[in-house]
Amino acid sequence: MTNIFNPYSRLGSVEAIRHKVLVRLDRCRTEFARAMHVRLLEMLDEMRVDIESELPIWIELDANRHKSESDAFLFELYFERPCCDQRWINEGPISVLEEISVLVHGDEPGIVCGVTLDHTLVPASELDGLDEIFAEIGVHFIAARVKHNAAA
């Protein structure tokens, strides 16, 4: 069996990380680092809302998953990659600075492609410990600035 999403344990993890970010926020030496910490707190709050929105579905499917093989399969299938993971666990990094992943729409209706823009990472020395927190979140958070082409 694969690692199945559990919203209760995920909420606990988000809250623990949020607490670490809050503690580090008070120790930030620069306004830049404070702004990144605040943005990460906002993103963690959004993540909490997304996880909480999965609770009713999880409760219903969990209550039924022992009734039949098809109910067990439905539970596993849905929670291998629930809606909140589809938003937060993606193919590219999520930046606490500038948005670096965008959707590009083609000329034909319905043609959409995700693109990660050319970006540069903020050095760890400017993050006031945020890079350590990024490593334990499980979501690929980074601090990045989009590179703007002067010739364009």
Side-chain angles (χ1 to χ4, degrees), residues 10 39 42-51 53-54 81-94 101 139-141:
R10 186 77 59 90
R39 179 64 186 125
E42 291 168 354
M43 293 173 121
L44 290 168
D45 288 343
E46 291 173 29
M47 194 180 295
R48 179 178 42 206
V49 168
D50 288 346
I51 294 168
S53 73
E54 298 283 0
R81 184 121 183 210
C83 294
C84 76
D85 278 5
Q86 292 177 37
R87 176 177 177 195
W88 294 103
I89 311 294
N90 62 16
E91 302 304 319
I94 299 171
S101 296
V139 174
H140 192 177
F141 278 116

Side-chain angles (χ1 to χ4, degrees), residues 7-148:
Y8 294 106
S9 63
R10 186 77 59 90
L11 281 172
S13 298
V14 168
E15 287 305 313
I17 292 165
R18 192 177 190 290
H19 176 74
K20 287 181 182 181
V21 176
L22 273 173
V23 167
R24 289 181 184 261
L25 175 63
D26 290 337
R27 298 180 191 151
C28 287
R29 298 178 304 253
T30 66
E31 193 58 41
F32 175 73
R34 270 188 289 284
M36 282 190 298
H37 279 70
V38 168
R39 179 64 186 125
L40 181 57
L41 288 170
E42 291 168 354
M43 293 173 121
L44 290 168
D45 288 343
E46 291 173 29
M47 194 180 295
R48 179 178 42 206
V49 168
D50 288 346
I51 294 168
E52 288 171 347
S53 73
E54 298 283 0
L55 278 171
I57 300 165
W58 192 88
I59 291 168
E60 180 182 342
L61 292 176
D62 184 52
N64 293 330
R65 74 176 165 153
H66 301 291
K67 292 181 180 177
S68 70
E69 281 187 32
S70 62
D71 286 331
F73 177 74
L74 183 61
F75 178 86
E76 279 192 44
L77 182 64
Y78 186 85
F79 289 109
E80 279 183 16
R81 184 121 183 210
C83 294
C84 76
D85 278 5
Q86 292 177 37
R87 176 177 177 195
W88 294 103
I89 311 294
N90 62 16
E91 302 304 319
I94 299 171
S95 177
V96 296
L97 290 176
E98 298 178 345
E99 186 173 339
I100 58 173
S101 296
V102 295
L103 293 177
V104 176
H105 298 269
D107 294 336
E108 305 269 335
I111 307 236
V112 179
C113 179
V115 176
T116 300
L117 302 175
D118 191 18
H119 60 277
T120 182
L121 296 180
V122 175
S125 60
E126 295 181 38
L127 298 179
D128 277 344
L130 210 52
D131 56 321
E132 296 166 14
I133 293 174
F134 290 159
E136 53 186 272
I137 288 180
V139 174
H140 192 177
F141 278 116
I142 61 171
R145 296 179 183 106
V146 173
K147 291 181 183 178
H148 297 281

